[in-house]
Amino acid sequence: MTSPAPTPWLLRWQGVLANTPAGPLSSRMPLVAGVVLCALMAGLPLVTRAGLSLLILASGLLWLVWALRTPARGLSPINGWLLVVLALAVLATGFSPVPAAAAKGLLKLLSYMAVYALMRQLLAAAPVWWDRIVAALLAGELVTSVIGLRQLYANTSELARWADPNSVASGTVRIYSTLENPNLLGGYLLPILPLAIVALLRWPGLARKLYALASLVLGASALVLTYSRGAWMGMVASLAVIGLLLAIRQTQTWPLLWRRLFPLLLLGGGALILVLLVTQVEPLRVRAMSLLVGREDSSNNFRINVWLAALDMIRDRPWLGIGPGNTAFNLIYPLYQQPKFNALSTYSIPLELAVEAGIPGLLAGIGLALASIRAGLAQWRQSGVLALPCLASVAVIAGLMVQGLTDTIFFRPEVQLIAWFCLATLAAAPALSRATDRP
């Protein structure tokens, strides 16, 4: 019999209180953690930043208490890459030209990682909480989508401030709901759609399925009406991935010819519907065509100028960047920006990673994404309790990666915390027995 792998020294502090008597909180940790995480996910688009900060802090403290009473189970590939990301962020903070500002970004990263750690611990201990957290997430999404859709029938003077008169799509009315920004609303709704699809397939009972279906339909409608081009491209990518993965999974017992043809027919049908929508619906056509006009569109022109400035920042500090966080970026970017092109970020996740932590930070981000996708695809033909949620998580990653090529909405907590939830799902799945519950 082979001996278990030794616990990495970085994790040996976990479980130091495992032999002490359990108090009321310790004995009810899954319930308390689940309630706090449900409140956090439901409140993402509704709670103030101060409220979100309190819930994030509570999640971090709960994970610390739980970890002190639970020995570590080793280091998974996803957790290993997360430690690499954290180590590079610490180094980038130490060598940053603005270390105090970078320290704020590092603290924010640590707080998000603590939420991820609590989610992973909870899902590994009680996977039934995946459904409850998703139900809470869909509740917040439903409220937000309804508020956004109602804006179409209200006074449009406020919505007009998001209509760029210098764009080829000028005059387009874009909803933003409670998030005050149509791009942020699109980024928030984007990762929820694959989760709603899996909830629709996975949840028993007509009422629960109708709840998931309503969330899916209203969320997709609201996302389209944000007219966020990055969110549109991300939605197409995520829905294509989840549709393809589910089709291949459900046709495993079909004849070989149909197993190969059906996914191709599904993708072809989806592409045909997409082409018809873009060519026949004028607002969609105008907004989509703005992607192809280059600098003639003011939004495209703005992003191109910011990207060029970001490349200059990477050229000057290619190995450890300027340090994590938007505070550090706001202090350094003005030294590189072109006149009249103020920016709060690089408007591209790959560029943002390279600016904050250099080329090693970019490579670590790519490594984490690949490890996450590999972990999700490993559940493809499994029957574990988190098998379908893992496929949804892969679709979420695909959608966010596509959107992230031209925007950095991902770094806002309303979007990033959903991504951490998907990452926790992928990290927790291998630890669960294949004999549990339904797929």
Side-chain angles (χ1 to χ4, degrees):
M1 179 182 296
T2 59
S3 59
T7 302
W9 66 270
L10 283 174
L11 305 179
R12 289 179 184 175
W13 61 272
Q14 297 186 21
V16 297
L17 301 180
N19 297 323
T20 59
L25 177 61
S26 298
S27 60
R28 296 177 176 83
M29 187 60 71
L31 175 61
V32 175
V35 170
V36 171
L37 290 174
C38 283
L40 174 61
M41 301 305 281
L44 286 176
L46 306 171
V47 178
T48 64
R49 284 300 170 87
L52 287 180
S53 298
L54 288 175
L55 289 170
I56 291 172
L57 177 61
S59 300
L61 293 175
L62 283 172
W63 171 73
L64 182 61
V65 173
W66 201 344
L68 288 171
R69 299 195 59 84
T70 307
R73 298 181 179 179
L75 202 60
S76 67
I78 291 177
N79 289 341
W81 278 110
L82 285 175
L83 287 179
V84 173
V85 170
L86 179 59
L88 289 172
V90 171
L91 285 174
T93 300
F95 288 93
S96 171
V98 284
K104 295 180 181 179
L106 178 62
L107 183 61
K108 187 181 296 185
L109 175 62
L110 285 170
S111 66
Y112 290 150
M113 284 187 169
V115 175
Y116 156 81
L118 182 66
M119 289 175 171
R120 182 200 171 281
Q121 191 86 355
L122 176 64
L123 294 178
V128 68
W129 278 99
W130 188 90
D131 300 281
R132 297 168 183 174
I133 293 175
V134 169
L137 185 61
L138 295 185
E141 181 255 10
L142 268 175
V143 174
T144 306
S145 297
V146 170
I147 293 174
L149 293 172
R150 279 183 58 84
Q151 288 177 327
L152 296 174
Y153 304 96
N155 185 356
T156 59
S157 60
E158 284 295 320
L159 299 180
R161 64 192 175 99
W162 289 105
D164 187 352
N166 299 317
S167 171
V168 295
S170 62
T172 300
V173 176
R174 307 176 63 189
I175 65 173
Y176 51 78
S177 190
T178 59
L179 296 176
E180 299 297 324
N181 183 325
N183 291 330
L184 178 55
L185 176 60
Y188 163 73
L189 294 171
L190 170 61
I192 295 178
L193 299 184
L195 301 177
I197 291 174
V198 166
L200 176 63
L201 297 175
R202 166 186 173 90
W203 287 351
L206 180 60
R208 297 181 184 181
K209 289 186 179 296
L210 288 176
Y211 175 58
L213 180 61
S215 303
L216 175 62
V217 172
L218 292 178
S221 301
L223 188 152
V224 170
L225 292 172
T226 63
Y227 288 91
S228 170
R229 297 170 298 178
W232 283 0
M233 294 188 295
M235 180 175 67
V236 171
S238 64
L239 295 184
V241 169
I242 189 65
L244 184 62
L245 292 178
L246 290 175
I248 296 176
R249 177 183 171 87
Q250 297 302 319
T251 58
Q252 293 181 57
T253 59
W254 289 18
L256 178 61
L257 177 62
W258 282 106
R259 285 207 310 269
R260 293 179 176 177
L261 283 180
F262 183 73
L264 296 176
L265 293 174
L266 185 65
L267 289 177
L272 178 61
I273 293 174
L274 181 63
V275 169
L276 290 175
L277 288 174
V278 171
T279 56
Q280 301 302 317
V281 181
E282 184 176 359
L284 296 181
R285 181 175 68 252
V286 172
R287 188 66 176 164
M289 293 303 294
S290 67
L291 290 168
L292 306 177
V293 299
R295 285 184 177 270
E296 294 181 21
D297 183 86
S298 60
S299 179
N300 295 351
N301 185 53
F302 176 83
R303 279 170 165 75
I304 291 171
N305 284 293
V306 174
W307 293 339
L308 292 175
L311 289 173
D312 289 338
M313 297 169 70
I314 296 168
R315 180 198 61 200
D316 288 349
R317 300 184 66 86
W319 301 117
L320 287 175
I322 65 171
N326 61 306
T327 305
F329 182 87
N330 292 337
L331 293 175
I332 301 300
Y333 174 76
L335 303 177
Y336 294 86
Q337 77 175 59
Q338 299 184 28
K340 299 182 181 180
F341 289 95
N342 300 325
L344 300 177
S345 68
T346 63
Y347 290 94
S348 172
I349 289 180
L351 288 178
E352 189 77 22
L353 294 175
V355 164
E356 292 187 359
I359 295 174
L362 173 60
L363 295 177
I366 295 173
L368 175 60
L370 293 178
S372 302
I373 293 172
R374 191 178 300 114
L377 295 181
Q379 298 292 315
W380 197 347
R381 292 180 171 84
Q382 302 298 326
S383 58
V385 67
L386 292 182
L388 284 182
C390 282
L391 299 187
S393 298
V394 171
V396 169
I397 292 172
L400 291 176
M401 287 175 65
V402 170
Q403 186 197 34
L405 292 175
T406 57
D407 209 336
T408 48
I409 290 298
F410 171 81
F411 292 104
R412 302 286 287 273
E414 295 86 352
V415 183
Q416 188 174 165
L417 286 173
I418 304 175
W420 283 113
F421 171 63
C422 294
L423 202 62
T425 301
L426 294 170
L432 299 172
S433 169
R434 296 181 182 179
T436 53
D437 299 293
R438 59 190 185 280

